[in-house]
Amino acid sequence: MGVWIIPCNSNFYDIEGAFERFDRLDWKQSRKLEVGDVVYIYVGRPTKAIMYKCRVNKTNLPELEIDDSAFVINDSAYANYGNYMELELLHKFRPDQLPLETLFDHGLQGNIQGPRHASAELQNLFRAAECV
């Protein structure tokens, strides 16, 4: 099982609104994620924090199965992408639990601009935040 961090640009997608309505979302799949992998979603400005923990339920979907179009702000980077995965929400964090500064303090290198594996140190941090 892989543990990943993926970004969400709030200028393109209202993820908070989407997860208030749905417990599962289809998401652009740009790496070799597998069913059962855990994905932590980092929400960019103005939030700048890990906000969601999800499980990958389906991969390599050629088209979207869940209609979340009401939450798409700008689909220029995602429309007709052609490779999607289904994410199931497992946990929502408060913005102050896993802010970007804390991620840097626990070994995150560089900005979160694409999918990346979470280090063991970050995984421990995420698990601890779930218990709060």
Side-chain angles (χ1 to χ4, degrees):
M1 176 186 78
V3 179
W4 298 83
I5 302 171
I6 61 173
C8 177
N9 185 330
S10 55
N11 292 322
F12 288 84
Y13 188 72
D14 175 12
I15 191 169
E16 184 174 348
F19 272 136
E20 285 177 9
R21 179 155 181 222
F22 299 107
D23 63 348
R24 297 169 193 246
L25 298 174
D26 290 335
W27 203 267
K28 179 175 105 169
Q29 181 184 342
S30 56
R31 294 260 183 160
K32 302 265 185 202
L33 286 95
E34 298 179 1
V35 171
D37 283 357
V38 173
V39 173
Y40 290 89
I41 301 177
Y42 170 82
V43 178
R45 288 190 174 121
T47 306
K48 298 193 324 185
I50 297 283
M51 292 295 298
Y52 304 96
K53 175 185 179 183
C54 299
R55 178 180 48 241
V56 178
N57 287 337
K58 299 179 185 178
T59 57
N60 302 313
L61 300 171
E63 57 189 39
L64 297 170
E65 295 179 344
I66 299 169
D67 182 9
D68 62 347
S69 58
F71 304 99
V72 175
I73 298 165
N74 178 343
D75 70 352
S76 62
Y78 307 108
N80 303 315
Y81 186 75
N83 194 32
Y84 302 95
M85 60 185 166
E86 181 188 276
L87 300 178
E88 180 181 358
L89 179 63
L90 300 176
H91 187 84
K92 181 177 178 181
F93 298 98
R94 295 185 320 269
D96 64 330
Q97 286 183 281
L98 297 168
L100 185 59
E101 299 79 22
T102 300
L103 303 179
F104 286 143
D105 291 344
H106 286 82
L108 179 71
Q109 301 292 314
N111 292 321
I112 303 168
Q113 297 180 338
R116 60 169 64 193
H117 285 283
S119 68
E121 183 176 356
L122 285 170
Q123 290 179 48
N124 289 335
L125 175 69
F126 299 159
R127 280 192 292 273
E130 283 183 67
C131 297
V132 175

